Structure formats: C-alpha cells, structure tokens
Amino acid sequence: MTTDTTALRLYFPISARASATRFWHRLSAPALAHHLINAARRSGIQQAVLHPIQSGYLKGEKLTHHHPEVTSMRHPQCVELIDSESALRKFLHDHAAELHKVRAVLLKCEIPLIPNRQAG
C-alpha cells in the first residue's frame, strides 16, 4: 500500500523576509516563515509547521546555536508542508519568486498508516 503523502521542507536563514506586498510591508517586511505558513493555508495545503532548530548550519555558513536572548541572523529555519506531491509542486511554482534563496527538499512518504491484515 502506498500513499501520495509528501513532505516539502524549506530551509532558510531566520533573517529571511518575504516580498513587500502591502504599504506597511515596505516599512517592515514579514518574516519569510510566517508568510509561507499563511500562504500554505491560503493555498489549501493540508499541514504546515515551523520546526524549532536548536543547532545547525545552512550551506556555506557557520554552525550556529539557538539562544533565547541572542540568535544569529544566519541561524537556520525549517518550514515543513505536508500534502500531495502535485499540490506541493504547485505551491513551489506559485511562490517561486520568494523561494529563490530557499533550499527545498521533497520527501515521499510511503509508510501505510493501517497495517496489512493477514488472511486467516
């Protein structure tokens, strides 16, 4: 039994900002993580979560550690979206302009949720 459930993980620095779409955004553009989660909801994506990252690094950057008082602007963030592969690819296409500096990883999930029953 296979499923079409797919996970899309988007990795980017905590300092990443979304494009300014409103007047007030020109003063302070929204955080990319917050923007992507809202965009996923508007697009009908089944599930979206922002994973807390304690330690890590992005390609070409130094290792950073999360600290509640001071966090490096290059500290990684991960937004994970769960839906069908086609819905996630459409989301990537629709938001390509904002994702040009984001590392995207698509993971197929083929673990059945209901165990196979043996004929007895």
Side-chain angles (χ1 to χ4, degrees):
M1 177 178 170
T2 61
T3 177
D4 188 35
T5 301
T6 305
L8 173 64
R9 286 188 164 203
L10 304 169
Y11 296 95
F12 49 90
I14 200 167
S15 62
R17 299 281 174 210
S19 302
T21 57
R22 300 182 194 150
F23 171 76
W24 293 111
H25 288 174
R26 289 182 177 86
L27 300 175
S28 177
L32 184 58
H34 181 73
H35 173 76
L36 290 173
I37 290 172
N38 283 329
R41 179 173 287 284
R42 286 191 306 273
S43 297
I45 298 296
Q46 292 176 10
Q47 181 175 321
V49 295
L50 175 61
H51 288 287
I53 309 276
Q54 293 301 314
S55 295
Y57 60 91
L58 296 169
K59 183 178 179 181
E61 299 293 338
K62 293 182 180 180
L63 176 66
T64 63
H65 305 281
H66 173 72
H67 189 276
E69 293 177 9
V70 179
T71 300
S72 167
M73 296 308 282
R74 297 181 191 273
H75 190 71
Q77 280 196 308
C78 176
V79 169
E80 182 178 76
L81 307 178
I82 307 280
D83 207 315
S84 68
E85 183 175 351
S86 60
L88 295 174
R89 287 189 183 277
K90 182 177 182 338
F91 183 85
L92 284 172
H93 180 267
D94 292 348
H95 298 278
E98 295 171 324
L99 300 175
H100 64 277
K101 291 188 177 181
V102 172
R103 176 166 270 191
V105 178
L106 197 65
L107 306 165
K108 293 289 290 177
C109 304
E110 297 192 35
I111 300 172
L113 297 177
I114 301 170
N116 291 334
R117 295 185 183 211
Q118 299 284 337

